[in-house]
Amino acid sequence: MCCLNHSSEPTRRQFIRDGLSVSAAVMSVLPATFDWRKTSASVSPNKSNIDVARAAARWIETAKIATDSGVTWLADPTDPESVGTTLYHGSPGVVLFLLDLYHATGEEAYLNTACSGADAIMAVLQNEAELPLGLYTGVAGMVFSLTETYRASNDRRYYAAAAQGLNILLGAAKSAGSGMEWNAVTDVISGGSGIGLTLLNVAKTLKGTDALDVAASAAYRLVEMGWPTSHGLKWPMSPDYQRLMPNFSHGTAGVSYYLAALYQETGDPDLLDASLAGARYLQSVAQTGDGDICLVFHNEPDGKDLYYLSWCHGPVGTARLFYRLADVTQDDEWLQWANMCAKAILQSGIPEQRTPGFWNNVSQCCGDAGVGEFFSSMYHVTGDQAYNDFLHRVRSSLLERATEDTSGIRWLQAEHRTRPELVAAQTGYMQGAAGIATFFLHLDAMENGRESTVVLPDSPFAH
């Protein structure tokens, strides 16, 4: 995800639908001629966070499709082929947003719609073979969504369906090297790290499985797939993939994060050593300015002059590793590096200025919503007022870039950095209104001392 493609290459949605990655795109610069203001009518800054989320839910409702088994949603309401069951673009992410909105408001209608969406996800798990397995691309994301639906509804049907999906994941793990793997991919999006994080997460609810053992075996396989460097370890997205993307979604930061999370569960020092080796490699290649920022390039060999600022390939995602290491080691060095990631963003000029690594995208994966979530979490952790001030600038930017009419609130954006002319309003979690509105829900929770109920498997910020 998150590196954008030329018109001759498949779109990210096609890659995710097929369980693959689009991150090999050729780097090009966002044309300065695109003006998002021509496509949007801003929302009042006085609208409450909950009301923004409600309005986004009304607009998402316009993309709902009834099926024999439940409901699903078009990822792009203008594209009748955009229905999907990935957490990244599809119905599992919309279900999670509706569950969060139910927890925030207590309004049963949101839970009922989420359950109907979960019913359709159950039918896919029961009736379709050879599904992609990844957290953001397939079964793992569906299992997480079903588990959260069970936790909200206490309906055992969703427990049983999530357990069925978990059994699919456990059965699909094959012996490889000194451990197990689901495919040749190592990453958080579609590979072993994301699937393993899902096992750790859902095993807390779905009791009596060998999920932790399989997750550990997958971690040992990932350790031996790391490439030694003079400073530590780095991981390719897969062994035969030509570009190495060191940040969170497809690279070293995400794999190292998984190893640290599993160390927290098992206490195995070999997993911590490998995670620390990945972190040391990232430190060795980071731009640190005067020692107060952390920026890691997009990819090698040909993207070392491109710096994203978001979850996928930027400091928002990479800081997750540093924060997790601070938690598991109790070493303040790692929290300092998480703060350095935040300070790099503070110095970037966003959200008012846009850069090649922060283009006309406002979603959780690549844009404003993901950045806002990060600063909300960092403010909660540190109490640094500069972080709170910045996240409210992000909030204002999102409201300026929104479109509101009688159908609700939506956000027009260019998902693909190298295709800025492809502007659409989307419904999904990582790209679209569900994830953007979730930022507003989580901001409301922070400001009102309420716990954020739905926390994705790859997030260390449980508050």
Side-chain angles (χ1 to χ4, degrees):
M1 263 48 52
C2 312
C3 278
L4 307 164
N5 51 309
H6 288 309
S7 58
S8 60
E9 297 174 326
T11 66
R12 184 188 290 111
R13 189 175 299 115
Q14 290 170 315
F15 272 92
I16 296 174
R17 183 190 62 208
D18 297 333
L20 301 171
S21 168
V22 72
S23 291
V26 178
M27 303 303 117
S28 67
V29 177
L30 176 66
T33 55
F34 184 83
D35 186 356
W36 60 267
R37 294 172 183 82
K38 294 179 180 177
T39 63
S40 66
S42 61
V43 176
S44 168
N46 296 322
K47 187 180 285 288
S48 74
N49 293 317
I50 292 292
D51 284 345
V52 171
R54 284 193 177 103
R58 288 200 307 275
W59 180 74
I60 292 170
E61 179 81 5
T62 67
K64 187 173 71 176
I65 296 175
T67 73
D68 291 340
S69 54
V71 301
T72 188
W73 293 266
L74 295 168
D76 176 353
T78 68
D79 179 2
E81 302 299 317
S82 64
V83 169
T85 52
T86 70
L87 175 55
Y88 195 90
H89 281 117
S91 54
V94 177
V95 167
L96 293 177
F97 161 60
L98 292 172
L99 292 175
D100 237 337
L101 189 52
Y102 163 67
H103 290 304
T105 65
E107 296 175 22
E108 295 282 341
Y110 297 128
L111 177 60
N112 292 338
T113 305
C115 287
S116 188
D119 290 341
I121 294 169
M122 283 197 304
V124 172
L125 277 178
Q126 292 167 357
N127 299 321
E128 294 189 22
E130 302 299 324
L131 290 166
L133 299 174
L135 171 56
Y136 286 96
T137 61
V139 172
M142 297 161 74
V143 169
F144 176 68
S145 185
L146 289 168
T147 303
E148 292 300 304
T149 305
Y150 164 69
R151 291 180 61 235
S153 67
N154 205 34
D155 186 330
R156 295 289 297 184
R157 293 183 305 125
Y158 302 120
Y159 185 101
Q164 177 190 1
L166 178 59
N167 286 333
I168 291 172
L169 293 175
L170 298 178
K174 306 300 181 186
S175 295
S178 61
M180 303 181 81
E181 66 183 21
W182 290 273
N183 50 42
V185 182
T186 64
D187 70 14
V188 167
I189 292 284
S190 61
S193 296
I195 298 171
L197 287 167
T198 306
L199 298 187
L200 295 183
N201 181 286
V202 303
K204 297 171 184 177
T205 301
L206 307 177
K207 308 293 185 182
T209 73
D210 55 355
L212 184 60
D213 291 340
V214 174
S217 187
Y220 300 138
R221 172 59 175 159
L222 287 169
V223 170
E224 70 182 0
M225 292 177 74
W227 293 2
T229 76
S230 58
H231 295 279
L233 287 173
K234 62 182 179 181
W235 280 266
M237 189 179 74
S238 66
D240 58 353
Y241 200 73
Q242 294 181 352
R243 289 184 176 87
L244 270 74
M245 295 160 285
N247 290 288
F248 194 78
S249 66
H250 290 304
T252 297
V255 176
S256 297
Y257 178 90
Y258 172 50
L259 299 178
L262 191 56
Y263 164 75
Q264 202 164 25
E265 294 292 326
T266 66
D268 186 333
D270 291 341
L271 298 176
L272 179 60
D273 288 346
S275 177
L276 290 168
R280 297 297 184 197
Y281 162 73
L282 292 168
Q283 289 176 313
S284 75
V285 299
Q287 267 200 21
T288 58
D290 294 327
D292 62 344
I293 67 168
C294 173
L295 283 171
V296 178
F297 59 79
H298 180 278
N299 80 83
E300 57 177 334
D302 57 0
K304 288 190 172 183
D305 58 349
L306 177 64
Y307 292 87
Y308 274 34
L309 297 174
S310 48
W311 171 88
C312 49
H313 298 287
V316 167
T318 298
R320 292 186 171 200
L321 167 62
F322 297 142
Y323 182 77
R324 176 68 85 174
L325 285 174
D327 189 30
V328 302
T329 66
Q330 296 299 298
D331 185 342
D332 287 343
E333 174 195 1
W334 299 115
L335 183 57
Q336 177 185 349
W337 276 82
N339 281 305
M340 289 165 63
C341 289
K343 289 176 181 177
I345 297 171
L346 290 179
Q347 295 179 21
S348 69
I350 69 165
E352 294 83 9
Q353 300 175 30
R354 313 306 272 193
T355 75
F358 200 77
W359 63 100
N360 182 40
N361 185 284
V362 296
S363 288
Q364 286 277 353
C365 179
C366 314
D368 301 61
V371 171
E373 286 267 8
F374 171 58
F375 275 87
S376 177
S377 297
M378 289 297 289
Y379 175 63
H380 180 82
V381 167
T382 68
D384 189 329
Q385 186 59 39
Y387 295 167
N388 191 42
D389 293 343
F390 181 79
L391 80 89
H392 281 87
R393 282 168 50 199
V394 173
R395 179 187 188 276
S396 295
S397 177
L398 280 168
L399 294 179
E400 280 187 30
R401 293 168 184 268
T403 298
E404 183 172 25
D405 56 25
T406 56
S407 66
I409 290 178
R410 61 194 180 276
W411 286 265
L412 290 155
Q413 64 171 16
E415 180 179 339
H416 307 285
R417 181 180 55 80
T418 60
R419 296 295 306 278
E421 76 281 5
L422 294 180
V423 177
Q426 297 166 270
T427 62
Y429 198 99
M430 296 305 286
Q431 295 288 349
I436 299 168
T438 296
F439 158 68
F440 286 90
L441 288 177
H442 290 176
L443 178 56
D444 180 79
M446 185 197 74
E447 292 179 340
N448 289 285
R450 190 179 71 252
E451 184 175 332
S452 295
T453 307
V454 178
V455 180
L456 293 181
D458 61 299
S459 175
F461 300 113
H463 65 79

